[in-house]
């Protein structure tokens, strides 16, 4: 089994290329990735095969994939030290996914709650790809024998399925796959919608005021934060249940300034939401502006992106095919 070198851990994660990431994606996951990448051997993929489960205009799919790749570079992930690539550039993902389909029970796949939710959301296009999506995700993971996989709460069930499939496969054929663990590290913040603070912040929300997009201008960011839903108490303290709006803004402020909730409560004691929101807006702008500038620089350099993606795909393929060949041999394909 090809695994990480020395005592560095191999960490793998993928991100869907379904649109410009939000402040929620950034504070919840991406921001931790750069730190994680400095300490581990990281593999980051843009899940463009997964993106096909919803209908896209071809030009949009291509543009979003390139943009998501540029965001990964803008975060400070190093394409030399880590493997950063697009899923569709390494055919082994689709190949292993097919094989794993045959080791996944229909009932087991039917239990995936995201499938149930998404098939309600996209009732006009409930394709089989949406159903087998978690099995492709299992292939993404198992091809690389990662030690840890950082995933959000919504992907925990899929990671669990990947573990079950791997355990089942190993039970039949011997030690082929490393059983992946969820990433245990600095947990990202859960950032909620600015207009409906009980829901997760989502880029697919039709109300654009509900999320801050990483490409929003400073002005747009400030407007959105200032119009965020709060409550009528006019007191800044953390209570996720009674004051979800204020608590969400406190989470955001805390992430951007490094201050804890007690310090924030002290800072705004006796002050109204106007002062508080203005401070949150400034902190978010200060956090996102340099990232956006870096992103714009990178996304304008298509030759650089292409070169990085090509190298990334080559490095990923080397690892992936080692695993796939082993799997193909184990299941009994005639190899010449
Ligand atoms: N399904 C994940 C998401 O929507 C993206 C993903 C695809 C992924 N393949 C993966 C995440 C492998 C971790 C590991 O967020």
């Amino acid at each position: 089994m090809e695994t990480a070198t020395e005592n560095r851990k191999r960490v793998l994660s993928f991100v869907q290329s379904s649109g410009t990431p939000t402040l929620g994606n950034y504070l919840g996951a991406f921001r931790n990735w750069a730190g994680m990448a400095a300490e581990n051997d990281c593999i980051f993929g843009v899940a463009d095969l997964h993106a096909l489960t919803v209908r896209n205009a071809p030009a949009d799919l291509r543009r979003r994939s390139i943009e998501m790749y540029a965001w990964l570079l803008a975060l400070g992930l190093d394409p030399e030290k880590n493997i950063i690539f697009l899923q569709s550039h390494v055919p082994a993902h689709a190949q292993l996914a097919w094989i794993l389909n045959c080791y996944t029970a229909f009932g087991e796949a039917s239990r995936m709650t995201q499938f149930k939710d998404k098939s309600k959301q996209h009732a006009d296009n409930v394709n089989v790809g949406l159903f087998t999506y978690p099995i492709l995700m299992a292939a993404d993971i198992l091809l690389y024998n990662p030690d840890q996989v950082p995933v959000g709460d919504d992907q925990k069930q899929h990671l669990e399925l990947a573990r079950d499939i791997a355990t089942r496969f190993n039970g039949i054929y011997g030690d082929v796959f490393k059983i992946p663990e969820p990433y245990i590290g600095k947990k990202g913040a859960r950032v909620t919608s600015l207009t409906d603070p009980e829901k997760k912040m989502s880029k697919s929300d039709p109300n654009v005021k509900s999320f801050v997009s990483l490409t929003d201008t400073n002005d747009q960011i400030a407007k959105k934060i200032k119009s965020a839903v709060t409550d009528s108490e006019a007191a800044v303290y953390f209570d996720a249940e009674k004051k979800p709006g204020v608590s969400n803004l406190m989470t955001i402020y805390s992430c951007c300034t490094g201050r804890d909730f007690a310090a924030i409560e002290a800072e705004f004691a006796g002050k109204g939401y106007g002062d508080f929101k203005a401070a949150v807006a400034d902190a978010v702008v200060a956090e996102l502006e340099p990232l956006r500038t870096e992103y714009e620089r990178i996304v304008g350099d298509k030759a650089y992106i292409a070169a990085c993606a090509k190298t990334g795909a080559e490095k990923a393929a080397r690892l992936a095919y080692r695993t796939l060949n082993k799997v193909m041999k184990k299941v009994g394909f005639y190899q010449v």
Side-chain angles (χ1 to χ4, degrees):
M1 199 185 288
E2 177 63 25
T3 54
T5 48
E6 300 153 32
N7 48 14
R8 289 164 75 84
K9 293 249 187 291
R10 182 178 290 169
V11 179
L12 169 142
S13 198
F14 279 61
V15 57
Q16 275 223 57
S17 47
S18 55
T20 304
T22 66
L23 178 66
N25 300 126
Y26 176 65
L27 298 179
F30 296 167
R31 208 169 65 140
N32 288 342
W33 287 10
M36 209 164 72
E39 290 158 21
N40 302 285
D41 292 333
C42 287
I43 302 175
F44 295 107
V46 174
D48 53 351
L49 296 178
H50 279 107
L52 213 58
T53 54
V54 294
R55 197 67 72 229
N56 297 279
D60 288 344
L61 176 60
R62 190 158 33 243
R63 180 180 47 78
R64 289 199 198 113
S65 303
I66 296 168
E67 287 174 358
M68 188 49 83
Y69 194 90
W71 279 115
L72 295 180
L73 297 177
L75 292 173
L77 300 176
D78 184 342
E80 303 269 320
K81 292 208 190 93
N82 297 291
I83 301 180
I84 310 176
F85 75 112
L86 280 80
Q87 191 185 26
S88 68
H89 290 176
V90 181
H93 291 249
Q95 290 171 285
L96 182 63
W98 169 255
I99 296 174
L100 299 182
N101 273 328
C102 304
Y103 294 82
T104 308
F106 187 82
E108 192 174 34
S110 310
R111 280 196 291 278
M112 296 297 114
T113 56
Q114 194 177 60
F115 171 71
K116 293 184 212 168
D117 294 345
K118 285 202 175 169
S119 40
K120 270 186 223 137
Q121 268 170 34
H122 307 282
D124 55 332
N125 182 20
V126 185
N127 59 73
V128 177
L130 196 61
F131 184 67
T132 57
Y133 175 117
I135 304 163
L136 176 60
M137 178 166 161
D140 297 340
I141 298 169
L142 300 178
L143 279 174
Y144 299 95
N145 295 310
D147 298 293
Q148 294 186 346
V149 182
V151 288
D153 284 340
D154 60 334
Q155 298 298 316
K156 282 209 177 116
Q157 196 186 26
H158 293 165
L159 182 60
E160 204 50 52
L161 179 70
R163 288 168 56 89
D164 290 346
I165 297 172
T167 306
R168 177 173 310 135
F169 197 93
N170 286 355
I172 306 172
Y173 301 104
D175 244 359
V176 178
F177 298 124
K178 189 177 182 96
I179 309 300
E181 302 286 338
Y183 177 74
I184 319 188
K186 220 172 122 211
K187 204 172 167 324
R190 183 173 184 273
V191 174
T192 62
S193 156
L194 298 175
T195 51
D196 184 357
E198 256 138 338
K199 278 195 338 211
K200 191 176 155 184
M201 182 179 281
S202 164
K203 58 185 161 246
S204 50
D205 194 316
N207 183 358
V208 295
K209 282 183 160 178
S210 72
F211 59 87
V212 170
S213 154
L214 295 190
T215 48
D216 281 349
T217 61
N218 292 349
D219 222 35
Q220 286 169 318
I221 295 172
K223 280 208 185 98
K224 286 180 181 180
I225 301 273
K226 286 177 186 166
S227 66
V229 166
T230 47
D231 52 62
S232 54
E233 194 190 346
V236 177
Y237 64 92
F238 192 89
D239 185 333
E241 265 170 37
K242 288 202 201 93
K243 297 168 73 71
V246 168
S247 302
N248 186 40
L249 293 176
M250 284 180 73
T251 302
I252 293 171
Y253 191 61
S254 169
C255 286
C256 296
T257 59
R259 271 169 239 169
D260 63 17
F261 292 152
I264 299 170
E265 282 166 16
E267 184 180 348
F268 296 100
K271 294 194 182 143
Y273 290 159
D275 288 343
F276 174 53
K277 284 178 167 177
V280 178
D282 286 347
V284 173
V285 164
E287 180 77 25
L288 295 189
E289 195 174 25
L291 177 70
R292 189 170 68 237
T293 307
E294 179 64 355
Y295 165 75
E296 272 153 16
R297 185 183 70 77
I298 293 170
V299 85
D301 192 348
K302 294 290 185 299
Y304 175 66
I305 295 176
C308 292
K310 196 156 186 277
T311 315
E314 283 162 7
K315 289 197 280 185
R318 230 171 286 142
L319 297 174
Y321 279 102
R322 225 175 276 168
T323 306
L324 183 68
N325 285 334
K326 193 166 175 188
V327 168
M328 292 180 77
K329 196 163 158 192
K330 290 280 189 187
V331 300
F333 289 129
Y334 173 41
Q335 292 181 306
V336 289

